[in-house]
Amino acid sequence: MPHDRAAAWALLAEFTPSQPLRRHALSVEATMRELARSRGLSDPAEIETWGVVGLLHDFDYERFPTEADHVWRGMEILRERGWPEVVIRGVGAHAFYTGIERVTLMEKAILAADELSGFVSACALVRPSKKIADVPVESVLKRMKEKAFARSVDRSYIVRGAEEWGTPLPELVGLVLRAQVAIAARLGLEGAPAAELPDEPVPPVGQPVGQPPLSETLVLGRGYT
Ligand SMILES: [Fe+2]
Ligand SMILES: [Fe+2]
């Protein structure tokens, strides 16, 4: 079995029955792909790898939620199952406590993507419309200063993520918002609750808003419709 997006979804589904965590994986994947494009990456295989790291970064979390296990067990399992080192390192780089240095652009991207993707979703869900498309960048920045709002999201990850990625925070927030809009319905961020994300079929990737890259659809569309 190739170590591609479909395999990543299958592994996620195997370890993660929880729907919110599956949605989080898709959300971080969408951000990773957008981050890749924002730095001029155009090779579909490379963009897919960035997305796969987003999909898999928390795949072990539901089963192994403690800092002693989460990430470590995931990396172990990925290694046992023959995933490429670039994916394993990418997954390992998403939490400070692993001490794994973020060297490559993709490793910096996962830190920039992870907490902020969750945070903008929380910002959408408190709006009357419950639509991510209605969330302005400024309101995300304002919410970040409210300690009581989305308490579980560690702001220091978001700030450091933007710093390491090298993009001013408002710009990064704008990019993350755009990435979520492309798959808003699947994330429950289009004004209605999300439909169940089953093990199969593999959910399709979101297309960049306003510019559907046809060739990429053809390449990445393999294995699912
Ligand atoms: Fe995590
Ligand atoms: Fe995460």
XYZ file of all heavy atoms in Angstrom, residues 57-58 61 70-71 94-95 97 114, ligand 1:
83
model
N -0.815 14.381 12.180
C -0.027 14.884 13.315
C -0.603 14.466 14.676
O 0.142 14.274 15.625
C 0.159 16.406 13.230
C -1.030 17.197 13.650
N -2.138 17.346 12.866
C -1.305 17.861 14.808
C -3.038 18.077 13.503
N -2.566 18.402 14.680
N -1.922 14.302 14.751
C -2.539 13.914 16.033
C -3.185 12.533 15.956
O -4.045 12.222 16.785
C -3.628 14.931 16.420
C -3.082 16.166 17.125
O -1.961 16.096 17.667
O -3.785 17.192 17.131
N -3.389 10.649 19.149
C -3.782 11.405 20.348
C -4.948 10.782 21.112
O -4.935 10.738 22.343
C -4.128 12.845 19.953
C -4.487 13.705 21.139
C -3.502 14.199 21.984
C -5.825 13.993 21.443
C -3.822 14.973 23.088
C -6.150 14.761 22.545
C -5.146 15.251 23.364
O -5.467 16.003 24.457
N 1.806 10.825 23.536
C 1.356 11.465 22.299
C 2.559 11.998 21.518
O 3.433 12.624 22.085
C 0.374 12.601 22.607
C 0.071 13.467 21.422
N -0.275 12.951 20.194
C 0.083 14.813 21.253
C -0.476 13.943 19.341
N -0.241 15.086 19.954
N 2.548 11.749 20.274
C 3.609 12.054 19.316
C 4.642 10.920 19.286
O 4.934 10.386 18.221
C 4.320 13.414 19.543
C 5.329 13.684 18.432
C 3.315 14.561 19.574
N 5.472 18.887 15.711
C 4.320 19.764 15.987
C 4.140 20.129 17.457
O 3.354 21.005 17.778
C 3.023 19.182 15.395
C 2.253 18.263 16.295
N 2.404 16.899 16.270
C 1.309 18.506 17.234
C 1.590 16.354 17.154
N 0.910 17.296 17.762
N 4.864 19.472 18.351
C 4.715 19.812 19.775
C 6.069 20.245 20.330
O 7.082 19.607 20.060
C 4.196 18.610 20.544
N 7.212 20.019 23.293
C 7.814 19.145 24.293
C 8.614 17.980 23.710
O 9.372 17.334 24.425
C 6.765 18.641 25.301
C 5.681 17.755 24.705
C 5.908 16.410 24.430
C 4.415 18.273 24.427
C 4.918 15.614 23.897
C 3.421 17.486 23.889
C 3.674 16.151 23.626
O 2.702 15.360 23.087
N -1.191 24.118 13.246
C -1.947 23.276 14.184
C -2.920 24.049 15.074
O -4.139 23.982 14.909
C -0.936 22.471 15.026
C -1.605 21.485 15.954
O -2.813 21.247 15.811
O -0.898 20.935 16.840
Fe -0.785 17.100 19.101
